[in-house]
Amino acid sequence: MVGARVSALRGAQACMRLCGARRSASSWSEVLQTAKSTLGSDAASAAQGAAAVSALTHDPLDVVGQDVSAVRHSITTLLGSGQPSLDRIAKYYFAAEGKHVRPMIVLLMAKATNGLSAAWGAQRARAIGEDVDWPMNRETVLNDVNPTAAPPPAPGAPRPLPEQYEPALQHTILPTQRRLAEITEMIHVASLLHDDVIDASPLRRGAPSAPSTFGNKLSILGGDFLLGRASIALARLRDPEVTELMSTVIANLVEGEVMQLRAQESVSERVPVTDLSSTMPSAEELERFWTAYEPQPHADVAPTRRQFQIYLQKTYLKTASLMAKSARSAAVLGGCGEWATQTYAMSAAQRADAAAVCDAAYAYGRHVGMAFQLVDDLLDFRATTEAFGKPSGGADLKLGLATAPVLYAWQELADSPLGTLVARRFGEPGDVEQALELVHRSQGLARTAQLARYHTEAAHKALSVLPASDARAALAQLNEQIVTRVK
Ligand code: FPP
Ligand code: MG
């Protein structure tokens, strides 16, 4: 056990050397223990820890820019179809310049956490030996034709030896983690293809949307095709925990979208999908960002604390879940997950350390995701359509949606007609303009920005559990970029 712990520390130290880590503590485990106790006991020092992480930043594109380009290229290979129209729509949104936030989180989290598990060496050997492109079944049984993929190996051909994958070892990112970054982006883009149909959106990424170019039917089918190919890629990672995490994301995206649809119905219809605490805002968040604010809402008069809670749960499901669960999956594939920690001989302390890494990855992704969507909802009031690359200037209001800025404005201007406008979903002539004016007159945008900033600080705090490295510094910068973005 001691041997395994020492080798884990060697692995962690080797990883930190590879990542260009700058730190003086004698072991990562000590850093972890200090960070855990600091976070648990002393909020002021925890804030300092978070501030220290945010002070050390590094441009994400300097760290994983090339990997992001490789992910983009690989996705178009994964999405080939013999049906020309399907081939075109499946690749359509990947041709435009996106922000690539999700694959960047996965790649950086992989770099920041690889080597931290005592099972890292074994997990790496396994990932290098597994060919993520190797079909699980015979081609004639799969019946899946992809003209842009490499030809399948002859039936019964031996698998290439792991040594042939040696070039991939030059990077700390495993082939399974690269593929995870691709899967994450494919699921995200599938959801955009469906979302642009639901929202009847004419624009995406500064260009005509898929539905306005190819029609609704092909957009829905294109999204389904992306999910099909993402599922194949997921199966080939051969990790049941990651399969469960990423499949749950798809269910969460749909739940979040359904909640949003139902939020446009009457107040009595607005029920949470589930009371699972992991999907809900914490009591502290509710206290600080809703209840404590004056004027206090009457318990039975909208907007209620429950409505705010439901809005935040929807935000987790439709946006934060993907970032949280894919970041956690990156740590799982690096040997911090349940399968690896239960399969290899590890001490209870090593298992606890690995679990803490997974939890930190998840917490980072969750808080970044919450901040991302809050800023998105805020920019809908501030950004221009041209800068945003998609409809803005009250686009959510036009869809009948009351997001955080509206809920806050409504709470503050309780005597204004905002409640009536929300109830009729901004559906009468002049409603959108009046709601825009009221939101701008209130503290709604400032309070939404404060809530987003809170999540940014919480994401920084989660990072302080991990050892310093270029990848961690880049995750910190990405976090800042998300909350300060203007498009
Ligand atoms: C964008 O939100 C949309 C999402 C974050 C998720 C949409 C999810 C679905 C349509 C469920 C189906 C899911 C899959 C995986 C097929 P937005 O409309 O607030 O943002 P926008 O302004 O970018 O459109
Ligand atoms: Mg939309």
Side-chain angles (χ1 to χ4, degrees):
M1 293 241 186
V2 174
R5 193 160 178 77
V6 169
S7 72
L9 289 177
R10 283 209 194 103
Q13 281 154 2
C15 170
M16 282 182 264
R17 274 197 303 279
L18 276 168
C19 298
R22 294 178 294 269
R23 61 172 198 87
S24 56
S26 58
S27 75
W28 168 73
S29 222
E30 279 169 36
V31 176
L32 177 63
Q33 288 313 321
T34 314
K36 277 198 289 192
S37 58
T38 304
L39 286 175
S41 62
D42 182 346
S45 328
Q48 271 173 14
V53 169
S54 60
L56 273 179
T57 60
H58 211 306
D59 189 341
L61 285 176
D62 283 350
V63 183
V64 289
Q66 284 187 340
D67 303 284
V68 170
S69 304
V71 160
R72 284 186 69 185
H73 175 77
S74 179
I75 287 175
T76 50
T77 308
L78 287 173
L79 290 177
S81 168
Q83 297 283 336
S85 48
L86 189 54
D87 193 84
R88 228 174 302 129
I89 191 159
K91 296 172 183 170
Y92 181 65
Y93 280 154
F94 297 100
E97 205 46 64
K99 290 186 274 293
H100 307 301
V101 170
R102 294 156 189 85
M104 254 194 279
I105 290 175
V106 169
L107 294 166
L108 288 170
M109 193 55 81
K111 263 183 182 285
T113 58
N114 280 352
L116 298 183
S117 166
W120 160 246
Q123 186 75 357
R124 189 180 72 171
R126 187 168 165 254
I128 303 296
E130 280 306 343
D131 182 350
V132 291
D133 288 318
W134 193 274
M136 288 181 99
N137 214 326
R138 284 175 302 155
E139 196 203 354
T140 48
V141 177
L142 288 174
N143 297 318
D144 185 37
V145 181
N146 178 353
T148 50
R159 286 174 172 227
L161 286 168
E163 281 74 17
Q164 286 177 251
Y165 291 85
E166 201 59 28
L169 277 175
Q170 289 162 1
H171 311 280
T172 49
I173 302 169
L174 298 175
T176 45
Q177 292 167 322
R178 271 175 212 288
R179 187 48 53 86
L180 173 68
E182 292 156 16
I183 293 166
T184 303
E185 190 68 352
M186 285 196 282
I187 293 175
H188 170 58
V189 171
S191 81
L192 294 185
L193 284 165
H194 287 194
D195 182 69
D196 285 343
V197 172
I198 295 170
D199 292 350
S201 181
L203 279 176
R204 172 72 64 188
R205 296 181 170 173
S209 70
S212 58
T213 310
F214 303 97
N216 284 350
K217 290 180 187 174
L218 265 182
S219 299
I220 294 290
L221 294 169
D224 294 343
F225 182 69
L226 257 63
L227 291 183
R229 285 285 161 82
S231 302
I232 297 173
L234 197 50
R236 289 185 191 161
L237 296 181
R238 317 283 202 267
D239 192 309
E241 192 178 348
V242 172
T243 305
E244 281 190 34
L245 281 166
M246 298 306 291
S247 304
T248 306
V249 167
I250 298 174
N252 286 166
L253 282 163
V254 176
E255 286 172 324
E257 196 66 15
V258 169
M259 273 183 97
Q260 183 163 294
L261 283 177
R262 298 196 63 176
Q264 296 167 54
E265 297 168 1
S266 67
V267 173
S268 60
E269 289 286 329
R270 293 176 209 162
V271 288
V273 173
T274 161
D275 268 334
L276 261 184
S277 61
S278 59
T279 69
M280 299 290 252
S282 68
E284 190 219 331
E285 286 162 18
L286 275 177
E287 177 61 31
R288 273 180 64 185
F289 293 100
W290 187 256
T291 317
Y293 197 82
E294 293 297 335
Q296 293 281 348
H298 303 292
D300 53 344
V301 176
T304 60
R305 177 190 155 100
R306 192 71 171 151
Q307 274 170 290
F308 185 64
Q309 202 176 14
I310 289 170
Y311 163 77
L312 290 180
Q313 186 187 33
K314 177 205 79 179
T315 302
Y316 168 81
L317 292 168
K318 82 171 216 185
T319 305
S321 169
L322 177 56
M323 297 189 192
K325 292 187 172 103
S326 60
R328 187 181 184 97
S329 296
V332 169
L333 290 172
C336 295
E338 280 172 16
W339 184 87
T341 54
Q342 284 165 13
T343 302
Y344 300 111
M346 284 168 73
S347 68
Q350 287 170 333
R351 282 203 191 98
D353 284 359
V357 171
C358 281
D359 289 346
Y362 179 85
Y364 172 84
R366 180 173 109 80
H367 288 296
V368 165
M370 294 300 290
F372 185 94
Q373 189 58 49
L374 286 162
V375 171
D376 221 62
D377 291 348
L378 190 147
L379 287 176
D380 189 47
F381 290 86
R382 281 198 181 144
T384 61
T385 297
E386 198 185 8
F388 215 15
K390 59 186 183 182
S392 186
D396 287 336
L397 298 175
K398 287 176 199 150
L399 292 170
L401 300 177
T403 55
V406 176
L407 293 177
Y408 279 137
W410 181 12
Q411 187 190 45
E412 182 185 336
L413 309 173
D415 298 330
S416 77
L418 209 39
T420 312
L421 302 183
V422 171
R424 63 180 187 228
R425 290 170 243 154
F426 317 102
E428 297 201 357
D431 281 4
V432 168
E433 293 71 19
Q434 194 180 6
L436 276 171
E437 193 269 317
L438 289 166
V439 167
H440 282 290
R441 199 197 313 157
S442 75
Q443 292 299 306
L445 295 173
R447 290 178 66 197
T448 304
Q450 278 167 12
L451 179 55
R453 175 49 72 181
Y454 158 85
H455 283 291
T456 303
E457 295 306 324
H460 278 314
K461 229 182 266 185
L463 285 182
S464 69
V465 172
L466 305 178
S469 67
D470 286 351
R472 191 187 78 165
L475 284 166
Q477 180 147 330
L478 186 62
N479 190 25
E480 275 303 314
Q481 285 171 349
I482 283 168
V483 80
T484 53
R485 75 197 168 103
V486 290
K487 59 179 184 163

